[in-house]
Amino acid sequence: MIRLVESAADAARFAAALADPCDPVAVETAARFAAFSGLPGSGWRFYTGGEGEPSFALAVRGASALLCGSADGEEAALLLKVLGARRLKTACPGPLPGWRQDAAFRVFHAPAGGPKARPLPEGFWLNESPSLLGVTEFLWGGGSLAAHRDRRSADTFYSEICTMRNRGLAQIWTLEENGVTAATAGAYAVTENAALLSAVETAPAFRGKGCAGALVCALARRFCGQGRAVCLVARPGAEGFYEKLGFEQRGLAYGHAAPEND
């Protein structure tokens, strides 16, 4: 039976489904749980199975959900319908009956020890603690978050990354020239054993200068040096970029849509 995570025993079963540092969905779910499980006003809800059942972790906020492990498909589908979730991210191609897989993304991992270092372009400055409001506006003006450009989504994103960074669960960098942000990359989910890189963006005027590559490699090397596994989910068309940086493809992550007649 699916139950809301409320007790230490529930939390232990939830965490048991998130042990794989090579699963980007597990890393994202674990970091969100660490940040928001004690903040009901955040909108996040966390579910797991009962004692003796296979471990799984289900995280839901608004219309989006993350699922790790094997939940009862019928029950999980019904719960998501009740909660109004329409999008599901997993590392499995078909976890719920009736849900339609509509996206598959290549997952990349940094090699042991991190990718080869790349020098920062001449004249650029690495900012390891940029304004998160500035980062939010920069991303909303680029392509990384093109599907979520409404003001409410931007405000939610900004609020979440502030909480995550304040709790040591995210690290976001920018590369700047003369006070102007040229590029950004971040680990938007950091756990004890892993870091998930995402939201890599370069302003059009600075593309082709090596800004994003230098940022991604520096950030990945920082986490690898701390003993953390580093992974990312590549946007379509960006796979070659990460391969050139030395990242290795290991698996897929999937997006699913709710049944159209719901």
Side-chain angles (χ1 to χ4, degrees), residues 37-52:
S37 59
L39 300 175
S42 70
W44 281 97
R45 298 183 182 184
F46 302 95
Y47 300 88
T48 191
E51 186 175 356

Side-chain angles (χ1 to χ4, degrees), residues 8 52 56 71 137 144 171 182-183 195 197 203:
F56 70 89
E137 297 298 336
S144 295
Q171 191 163 335
L197 305 189

Side-chain angles (χ1 to χ4, degrees), residues 127-225:
N127 187 350
E128 296 186 12
S129 186
S131 160
L132 295 184
L133 181 59
V135 169
T136 301
E137 297 298 336
F138 182 82
L139 291 173
W140 247 252
S144 295
L145 302 173
H148 308 282
R149 284 183 177 168
D150 61 282
R151 188 69 253 175
R152 181 177 297 179
S153 294
D155 292 343
T156 298
F157 176 83
Y158 171 68
S159 175
E160 285 204 352
I161 62 173
C162 285
T163 300
M164 299 284 286
R165 190 172 75 172
N166 289 342
R167 297 190 174 201
L169 300 166
Q171 191 163 335
I172 300 156
W173 291 357
T174 57
L175 202 60
E176 302 174 7
E177 183 187 49
N178 298 323
V180 176
T181 298
T184 185
Y188 284 80
V190 178
T191 68
E192 181 180 355
N193 300 316
L196 174 62
L197 305 189
S198 59
V200 178
E201 186 72 46
T202 303
F206 296 98
R207 290 173 185 167
K209 299 179 181 292
C211 295
L215 262 182
V216 169
C217 288
L219 194 59
R221 288 174 61 84
R222 173 71 59 85
F223 285 111
C224 288

Side-chain angles (χ1 to χ4, degrees), residues 1-256:
M1 176 178 293
I2 297 178
R3 53 183 290 123
L4 191 66
V5 175
E6 295 179 306
S7 67
D10 295 334
R13 290 193 294 275
F14 186 92
L18 305 175
D20 185 358
C22 294
D23 178 355
V25 181
V27 177
E28 182 176 357
T29 304
R32 295 299 184 273
F33 182 73
F36 302 112
S37 59
L39 300 175
S42 70
W44 281 97
R45 298 183 182 184
F46 302 95
Y47 300 88
T48 191
E51 186 175 356
E53 298 178 358
S55 61
F56 70 89
L58 176 64
V60 186
R61 183 181 63 79
S64 300
L66 305 165
L67 176 63
C68 300
S70 300
D72 180 288
E74 295 287 351
E75 188 179 5
L78 178 59
L79 174 63
L80 292 178
K81 179 178 180 179
V82 170
L83 295 175
R86 306 293 304 174
R87 298 290 310 164
L88 177 66
K89 187 189 302 183
T90 77
C92 302
L96 301 181
W99 283 64
R100 173 177 52 87
Q101 177 192 316
D102 63 356
F105 304 96
R106 292 168 66 182
V107 176
F108 287 84
H109 291 261
K116 184 178 178 181
R118 293 195 167 216
L120 298 181
E122 186 177 354
F124 288 80
W125 173 63
L126 175 63
N127 187 350
E128 296 186 12
S129 186
S131 160
L132 295 184
L133 181 59
V135 169
T136 301
E137 297 298 336
F138 182 82
L139 291 173
W140 247 252
S144 295
L145 302 173
H148 308 282
R149 284 183 177 168
D150 61 282
R151 188 69 253 175
R152 181 177 297 179
S153 294
D155 292 343
T156 298
F157 176 83
Y158 171 68
S159 175
E160 285 204 352
I161 62 173
C162 285
T163 300
M164 299 284 286
R165 190 172 75 172
N166 289 342
R167 297 190 174 201
L169 300 166
Q171 191 163 335
I172 300 156
W173 291 357
T174 57
L175 202 60
E176 302 174 7
E177 183 187 49
N178 298 323
V180 176
T181 298
T184 185
Y188 284 80
V190 178
T191 68
E192 181 180 355
N193 300 316
L196 174 62
L197 305 189
S198 59
V200 178
E201 186 72 46
T202 303
F206 296 98
R207 290 173 185 167
K209 299 179 181 292
C211 295
L215 262 182
V216 169
C217 288
L219 194 59
R221 288 174 61 84
R222 173 71 59 85
F223 285 111
C224 288
Q226 297 168 350
R228 289 182 166 97
V230 176
C231 60
L232 59 90
V233 179
R235 299 202 310 262
E239 297 90 347
F241 169 76
Y242 294 109
E243 290 173 342
K244 289 180 180 178
L245 296 181
F247 283 74
E248 304 162 355
Q249 186 193 350
R250 300 182 198 165
L252 298 169
Y254 300 92
H256 307 268

